[in-house]
């Protein structure tokens, strides 16, 4: 019998497509039976629990040694925090008391107590605690796995070529995941800011997240077609799906082959119009990869991920070292470091962003850093120090008013003075806002006079312009950078920037996707910043098209009625 074809919608997290057998990552804690124990066995059961605790700690220590990345690595810091959970005396006492009082076997009690703790954390107003729930579940699974004598089905041993399906990928597991082995990744929970999403994006693994409970119905072994660009998953794809995927794969193979045969210099259209192609990176380690693929510098270094995993707010030295590592990878090309963009779905456990009804409309990006000037100053000083003698640019997220930009400029000047006063060399730094709020678009003429460059963030610009939550799978079909309203906002930004003669770049996902990048080029963008694995491809695409044609096409799209008409024009 042919399996029923089911289409599921999630959030498009990392572009690309794949078809493969599903491999479900099973958290054994979900399958623990409730088993009573005799009163005389209680002491032995408590001993068993303590042994499992020791074994789990040993397992984490060994994993840390194997990773041997040192204390500053985010993966290592997560594991260190898991050790602390396993050493939590209060939690241990609660479990021991429950085994005595309820007389259920240890795996069941451990699961229940940890579950309750995770649920409780999730209800707290403070994001500080809420973000710890995933860690609690992670440690729970490790401990229950020890008690039952079977580890969680290991993420390191996923059969080659399979589509990895999981409720969520625990932070500690990302380090063990071997992206080259998996065809695609799909998760029930998770957002665009999850660790695993970031890894998938920089390594070119197609990914869809936030699919919801419907994903539970997909068994291991079932064939699945994943489209990480649209966020769609087809379980049991039919012949037409297979054919569409085959066409996509053939086209990709042709592009791949063609790409490997070419020497690609700086980004340039066929008629010689220069458009710099830079890389988006999320971790300092990705800079080397970006340089290797020929990126003309970094167009966006999202520094928040470096902070999100940290056990403590990284001090000036630590930050300066990380920024210097990125700058070292690029001798001549500019490196754009974005100041902390916390809030929305990105939270640093230790920074205590209060829970908000509408976090995307809340204390996010520059609003947060201006509320915490000491934190902002530390970051600015670290960049000024690391950037001495280099080409460094500072990008400010979520600028919604001139005043926020002026305040940042003043803090930067202050940071520079402090660095010079301390006897260090200081960088001359270009400062620019992200254009991602409609208010920034409308004020772009005035902003341009105060800025050294602009970077358009299409991910948020689409979200705020069209009023579509970028992490909500149910309205994913409404999220489109091809909407003429978005194109008009970009055109307006470029027009406003022109009299000030500042470069305007684009660093959202639109910059690396085919219709999007052609439109951006046609509208007159100066720089495209894309995931490292898309750098060569983006340059190659530009080298095949004429700027004149793109401008004509973009002009027609600005007059189009809706996104379907835009797509038709681009396809033509
Ligand atoms: C954007 O909004 O387009 C962007 C590049 O920033 P982020 O995705 O980190 O919000
Ligand atoms: Mg953004």
């Amino acid at each position: 019998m042919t399996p029923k074809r089911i289409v599921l919608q999630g959030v498009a997290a990392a572009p690309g497509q794949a078809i493969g057998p599903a491999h479900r990552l099973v958290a054994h804690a979900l399958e623990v039976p409730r088993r009573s124990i005799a009163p005389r066995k209680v002491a032995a059961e408590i001993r068993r629990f303590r042994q499992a605790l020791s074994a789990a700690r040993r397992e984490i220590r060994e994993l840390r040694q194997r990773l041997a990345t040192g204390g500053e690595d985010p993966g290592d810091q997560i594991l260190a925090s898991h050790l602390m959970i396993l050493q939590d005396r209060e939690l241990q006492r609660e479990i021991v008391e429950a085994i005595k009082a309820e007389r259920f076997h240890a795996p069941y009690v451990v699961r229940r107590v940890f579950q309750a703790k995770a649920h409780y954390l999730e209800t707290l107003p403070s994001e500080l605690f809420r973000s710890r729930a995933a860690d609690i579940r992670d440690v729970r699974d490790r401990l229950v796995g020890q008690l039952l004598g079977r580890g969680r089905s290991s993420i390191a041993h996923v059969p080659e070529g399979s589509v990895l399906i999981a409720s969520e990928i625990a932070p500690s597991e990302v380090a063990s995941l071997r992206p080259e082995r998996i065809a695609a990744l799909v998760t029930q929970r998770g957002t665009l800011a999850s660790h695993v999403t970031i890894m998938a994006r920089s390594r070119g693994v197609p990914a869809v997240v936030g699919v919801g409970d419907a994903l539970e119905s997909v068994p291991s072994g079932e064939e699945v077609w994943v489209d990480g660009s649209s966020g769609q998953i087809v379980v049991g794809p039919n012949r037409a799906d297979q054919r569409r995927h085959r066409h996509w794969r053939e086209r990709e193979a042709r592009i791949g082959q063609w790409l490997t045969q070419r020497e690609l210099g700086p980004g340039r259209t066929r008629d010689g119009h220069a458009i710099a192609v830079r890389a988006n990176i999320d971790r300092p380690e990705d800079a080397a990869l970006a340089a290797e693929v020929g990126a003309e510098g970094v167009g966006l270094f999202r520094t928040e991920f470096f902070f999100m995993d940290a056990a403590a707010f990284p001090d000036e030295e630590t930050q300066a070292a990380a920024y210097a590592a990125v700058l070292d990878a690029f001798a001549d090309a500019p490196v754009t470091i974005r100041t902390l963009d916390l809030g929305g779905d990105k939270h640093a456990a230790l920074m205590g962003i209060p829970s908000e009804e509408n976090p995307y409309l809340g204390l996010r990006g520059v609003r947060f850093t201006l509320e915490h000037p000491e934190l902002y100053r530390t970051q600015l000083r670290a960049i000024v120090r690391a950037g001495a003698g280099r080409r460094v640019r500072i990008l400010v997220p979520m600028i919604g008013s001139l005043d926020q930009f002026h305040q940042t400029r003043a803090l930067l000047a202050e940071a520079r003075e402090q660095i010079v006063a301390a006897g260090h060399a200081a960088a001359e730094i270009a400062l620019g806002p992200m254009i991602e709020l409609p208010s920034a678009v409308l004020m772009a003429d005035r902003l341009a006079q105060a800025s050294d460059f602009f970077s358009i963030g299409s991910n948020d610009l689409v979200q705020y312009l069209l009023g579509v939550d970028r992490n909500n799978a149910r309205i994913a079909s409404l999220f489109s950078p091809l909407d003429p309203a978005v194109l008009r906002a970009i055109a307006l930004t470029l027009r406003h920037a022109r009299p000030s003669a500042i470069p305007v770049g684009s660093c959202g996902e639109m910059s690396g996707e085919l219709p999007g990048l052609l439109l951006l080029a046609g509208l007159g963008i100066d720089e495209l910043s894309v995931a490292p694995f898309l750098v060569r491809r983006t340059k190659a695409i530009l080298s095949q098209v004429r700027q004149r044609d793109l401008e004509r096409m973009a002009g027609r799209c600005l007059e189009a009625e809706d996104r379907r008409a835009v797509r038709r024009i681009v396809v033509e």
Side-chain angles (χ1 to χ4, degrees), residues 94 108 121 157 175 185 213 223 230 300 323 363 428 448 531 568:
E94 199 179 323
Y108 177 77
L121 288 173
H157 300 113
L185 179 86
D213 295 346
E223 186 151 77
S230 68
L300 170 66
Y323 304 147
L363 196 64
E428 288 296 341
R568 260 198 312 275

Side-chain angles (χ1 to χ4, degrees), residues 446-461:
R446 303 294 295 276
L447 262 174
Q449 289 163 6
S451 307
D452 302 307
F453 69 98
F454 275 177
S455 187
I456 297 173
S458 59
N459 306 342
D460 278 313
L461 186 58

Side-chain angles (χ1 to χ4, degrees), residues 392-464:
V392 59
R393 313 195 294 190
I394 293 181
L395 182 58
V396 193
M398 287 293 287
I399 286 286
S401 71
L402 268 143
D403 175 56
Q404 291 167 334
F405 194 69
H406 290 320
Q407 286 187 58
T408 300
R409 172 96 55 205
L411 285 172
L412 178 60
E414 209 182 284
R416 209 170 173 280
E417 276 165 26
Q418 287 171 353
I419 291 298
V420 173
H424 298 292
E428 288 296 341
I429 292 183
L431 185 68
M434 289 218 46
I435 305 294
E436 46 190 357
L437 286 173
S439 57
V441 172
L442 296 173
M443 294 301 287
D445 52 342
R446 303 294 295 276
L447 262 174
Q449 289 163 6
S451 307
D452 302 307
F453 69 98
F454 275 177
S455 187
I456 297 173
S458 59
N459 306 342
D460 278 313
L461 186 58
V462 172
Q463 157 162 276
Y464 294 119

Side-chain angles (χ1 to χ4, degrees), residues 5-18:
R5 178 179 183 271
I6 305 166
V7 180
L8 302 175
Q9 182 67 50
V11 177
Q17 287 192 13

Side-chain angles (χ1 to χ4, degrees), residues 164-396:
L164 181 61
I165 294 198
S167 152
E168 65 183 329
I169 307 279
S172 72
E173 286 174 319
V174 176
S176 316
L177 182 63
R178 291 168 56 196
E180 70 285 0
R181 284 182 66 89
I182 57 172
L185 179 86
V186 184
T187 66
Q188 200 166 329
R189 302 182 215 178
T191 69
L192 292 172
S194 311
H195 293 73
V196 73
T197 313
I198 292 153
M199 184 280 305
R201 263 205 305 260
S202 64
R203 302 297 187 84
V205 178
V208 176
V209 299
V211 179
D213 295 346
L215 195 63
E216 278 173 18
S217 64
V218 184
S220 266
E222 187 78 81
E223 186 151 77
V224 187
W225 175 24
V226 180
D227 183 347
S229 302
S230 68
Q232 204 175 70
I233 303 159
V234 180
V235 186
N238 60 22
R239 286 230 195 100
D241 297 326
Q242 305 266 9
R243 203 168 40 243
R244 279 215 300 280
H245 174 65
R246 210 166 40 244
H247 286 160
W248 178 87
R249 221 177 43 214
E250 285 163 4
R251 200 188 67 201
E252 286 300 301
R254 274 199 305 276
I255 295 174
Q257 200 180 24
W258 184 76
L259 278 179
T260 51
Q261 291 161 356
R262 291 174 68 87
E263 259 313 305
L264 290 164
R268 198 170 286 282
T269 59
R270 205 160 124 196
D271 48 350
H273 178 77
I275 298 176
V277 180
R278 311 201 202 282
N280 287 349
I281 63 168
D282 300 307
R283 302 193 181 279
E285 308 86 89
D286 291 341
L289 174 69
E292 210 172 283
V293 295
E296 299 168 67
V298 171
L300 170 66
F301 174 18
R302 292 179 165 101
T303 58
E304 53 277 8
F305 294 107
F306 170 61
F307 287 76
M308 275 162 68
D309 302 323
F313 186 82
D315 61 16
E316 192 179 310
E317 296 284 335
T318 313
Q319 287 189 57
Y323 304 147
V326 175
L327 285 155
D328 281 346
F330 293 93
D332 306 316
V335 167
T336 316
I337 301 176
R338 184 170 73 182
T339 56
L340 262 180
D341 187 13
L342 291 178
D345 64 348
K346 290 182 280 201
H347 294 285
L350 286 146
M351 279 168 213
I353 298 181
S355 164
E356 296 171 309
E357 279 282 320
N358 290 305
Y360 274 118
L361 302 182
L363 196 64
R364 207 196 143 184
V366 72
R367 305 172 185 179
F368 175 83
T369 42
L370 283 174
E371 277 234 344
H372 297 82
E374 265 325 300
L375 206 140
Y376 206 5
R377 281 193 185 99
T378 305
Q379 186 172 33
L380 294 171
R381 273 199 306 268
I383 302 173
V384 171
R385 263 178 75 173
R390 327 273 187 99
R391 285 183 72 188
V392 59
R393 313 195 294 190
I394 293 181
L395 182 58
V396 193

